[in-house]
Amino acid sequence: MVAEHYRHVDTVTEPTQLPEDAALLTVKPYMLKHATMVIPVSITGEMRLPPLDPATNGCRLRVRYPGGLQDLSVWRDPTRNVTVLSHRSDFRRWFTATFQEGDTFVLRAITDDDGDGPSELEFSLVQTVQRQKAVHHSEIVAVRPDWTDSRGLLGYYNPLIGRYAATPFLRLLLRATEELQRAEAAGREPHPFFVVLDEMNLARVEHYFSDFLSCMESGEPLHLHDNAMVESGESGDDDAVPMRLKIPANLYFTGTVNIDETTYMFSPKILDRAFTIELNEVDLAALGSTRAEATGSQPRSGELSLARLPEQLTPLPPPGADDWRDFGAHEGGRLRQRVLDLQARLMADDRHFGYRVAVETARFVNLAVAQTAPDAASGWAALDLALLQKVLPKLHGTQQELDSVLTGLLSFAQEEPALPCMATKIDRMRTRLAHQGFTSFIA
């Protein structure tokens, strides 16, 4: 629902319908720098090429283009199914004067005057039309149980064929990066992109997502490969894949989780970097009703009605000391004092949280206060949810370990002003602890 709310429509320039035997190609950096280009297999596979010279593995090929007619050199890579066309003299001058990086052109194989199958290349300009188009800004990625590294998400370089095997997730990552660059050049806010990792704990998150956690923490780019030809697009891939890629600030991650015997629990490292939201309430009586019919338009306890949700989702820097300072301004500092009191209680049992949890809780409450009705109830409801989602998920253990801890937390949550969502969850955890001798946030 959030992704649909922020779906954006751009004015795009698209080619008119191409002939079935034509290919639409994009000008890549290496074409302009090295005056060469890889001819797609879809074109060369239909052509009747002249015999290759055994010494050079090349031949001459006639090329027609808007500027004239010219014979150019073609070279076949003996190790890969790649055919390279070299630009020179008049054709090279026409190509560099006509195109810039990212422009498109049409390439097709045509039949020469002998009429004995396609044996020439024809370059032509693209006939375009402008239209409004919804941007593909989200991707649902089904996590596989055999993922032990990031290749399932990011793809990998295949040295056997000299190409990069890209994934839908990587293509979304590249589109989000391009949008961020366009927005910075235009001086506007970038449009958001969303990734949903479906059943993300079918594999160990610490294995396949560790690169992302490290790069999001440090700000360093992801390492994808070390092949310059793949980065320039010279390898023949549809998309040029950079060697290093920063995670763009306009990309948002969400994961769905089921807990059973086929899945893995999360480590403190993962829980510390996420908000854990339980969706375990089933209201069959309200099935088929609208929210207004089910609740009378009034938010229930623990709910936040985002009446002032912004139309533009603005990427923010990582939470920090500024968020903690701003947090102290709400309700005369009472909200922040409750967090300090909670930290003091947990510290006695060596269960206290760190700076990350504190500043992310502050960021959560600050945003909630800005986007909901401006009253005290919203601030306390936001704090209740933040502590529920950031502090309690890391608590798991035996009755001997947690009985006194949960008892103290329940007393804290029931103090005035009460934190009802937190208190309800703690009570459930204590009940499970009493019955089974062990409890955890997710069960």
Side-chain angles (χ1 to χ4, degrees):
M1 292 177 62
V2 174
E4 285 302 315
H5 178 81
Y6 288 109
R7 180 178 291 278
H8 54 283
V9 176
D10 278 350
T11 301
V12 296
T13 301
E14 294 185 336
T16 55
Q17 178 132 17
L18 299 175
E20 292 185 0
D21 59 347
L24 182 67
L25 303 184
T26 301
V27 177
K28 298 177 180 178
Y30 81 92
M31 298 180 184
L32 301 171
K33 181 178 180 180
H34 302 303
T36 61
M37 64 168 287
V38 175
I39 306 174
V41 176
S42 60
I43 299 294
T44 57
E46 301 296 326
M47 292 188 67
R48 179 175 56 84
L49 290 174
L52 299 178
D53 184 341
T56 63
N57 212 40
C59 64
R60 306 285 289 181
L61 188 65
R62 179 154 293 183
V63 173
R64 299 179 184 272
Y65 63 102
L69 178 69
Q70 189 170 343
D71 290 341
L72 297 177
S73 298
V74 169
W75 175 74
R76 174 67 63 85
D77 187 334
T79 63
R80 303 177 298 153
N81 187 23
V82 172
T83 303
V84 179
L85 176 72
S86 296
H87 304 174
R88 66 180 182 86
S89 63
D90 292 342
F91 178 84
R92 179 177 182 178
R93 285 189 286 272
W94 169 80
F95 193 91
T96 55
T98 305
F99 299 115
Q100 295 180 347
E101 179 185 342
D103 290 345
T104 55
F105 61 91
V106 177
L107 182 67
R108 61 192 294 242
I110 61 175
T111 303
D112 60 15
D113 296 336
D114 295 337
D116 189 19
S119 61
E120 299 181 356
L121 287 178
E122 180 185 64
F123 287 75
S124 59
L125 303 179
V126 180
Q127 302 298 317
T128 61
V129 61
Q130 285 192 333
R131 57 170 57 98
Q132 297 291 109
K133 184 178 180 180
V135 175
H136 180 48
H137 74 318
S138 62
E139 198 72 55
I140 298 177
V141 180
V143 174
R144 292 176 53 92
D146 59 350
W147 283 5
T148 57
D149 54 36
S150 62
R151 288 182 296 176
L153 286 176
L154 295 172
Y156 61 95
Y157 173 70
N158 188 335
L160 297 178
I161 61 175
R163 293 191 176 186
Y164 195 94
T167 63
F169 171 80
L170 177 61
R171 295 189 182 98
L172 183 77
L173 196 63
L174 293 172
R175 289 199 300 274
T177 301
E178 292 170 357
E179 163 59 19
L180 186 63
Q181 293 169 347
R182 287 194 299 268
E184 290 175 350
R188 60 172 174 81
E189 295 293 342
H191 294 301
F193 286 71
F194 301 89
V195 173
V196 177
L197 299 175
D198 189 31
E199 300 278 15
M200 69 179 299
N201 63 332
L202 280 177
R204 290 193 180 278
V205 182
E206 297 84 352
H207 292 175
Y208 71 84
F209 208 60
S210 60
D211 293 345
F212 292 88
L213 294 175
S214 176
C215 291
M216 286 189 289
E217 185 81 12
S218 65
E220 293 297 315
L222 293 163
H223 172 251
L224 301 180
H225 62 89
D226 294 305
N227 190 290
M229 294 180 67
V230 170
E231 182 172 57
S232 67
E234 196 172 354
S235 63
D237 291 320
D238 292 336
D239 299 311
V241 179
M243 296 185 192
R244 308 287 186 274
L245 182 64
K246 277 198 170 186
I247 301 174
N250 58 330
L251 182 65
Y252 299 87
F253 291 95
T254 303
T256 65
V257 174
N258 280 323
I259 302 299
D260 56 39
E261 65 277 3
T262 67
T263 60
Y264 296 95
M265 281 300 297
F266 294 102
S267 69
K269 175 181 179 180
I270 303 297
L271 294 173
D272 209 33
R273 289 161 171 78
F275 280 88
T276 304
I277 303 174
E278 277 191 307
L279 302 174
N280 57 3
E281 292 188 12
V282 180
D283 187 359
L284 294 181
L287 184 63
S289 304
T290 65
R291 176 196 165 91
E293 293 169 341
T295 66
S297 299
Q298 296 297 320
R300 293 177 297 181
S301 175
E303 286 188 352
L304 290 174
S305 179
L306 301 180
R308 297 187 291 176
L309 186 67
E311 288 302 315
Q312 177 63 45
L313 191 59
T314 303
L316 297 174
D322 290 344
D323 295 279
W324 184 251
R325 183 198 63 232
D326 296 341
F327 180 43
H330 303 308
E331 296 300 305
R334 294 174 65 213
L335 294 176
R336 190 170 71 178
Q337 186 58 48
R338 285 286 267 165
V339 176
L340 294 172
D341 294 341
L342 176 61
Q343 174 76 327
R345 286 184 181 241
L346 290 173
M347 193 172 292
D349 294 294
D350 199 26
R351 295 275 183 170
H352 55 286
F353 46 84
Y355 296 109
R356 185 200 310 277
V357 171
V359 297
E360 289 188 356
T361 297
R363 168 72 63 84
F364 184 96
V365 175
N366 292 340
L367 290 175
V369 169
Q371 297 172 11
T372 60
D375 55 38
S378 295
W380 287 108
L383 179 63
D384 188 14
L385 291 174
L387 296 178
L388 169 70
Q389 296 169 12
K390 290 298 293 184
V391 176
L392 297 188
K394 295 176 68 175
L395 297 179
H396 60 89
T398 64
Q399 190 165 19
Q400 183 177 2
E401 293 173 310
L402 286 184
D403 189 38
S404 63
V405 175
L406 293 180
T407 300
L409 286 177
L410 182 60
S411 174
F412 169 84
Q414 291 174 338
E415 293 172 359
E416 290 296 332
L419 304 172
C421 293
M422 188 177 179
T424 300
K425 182 63 180 180
I426 295 171
D427 189 52
R428 290 175 181 171
M429 293 175 68
R430 290 182 71 231
T431 300
R432 190 181 306 118
L433 188 67
H435 290 166
Q436 301 177 4
F438 182 89
T439 193
S440 66
F441 181 84
I442 305 174

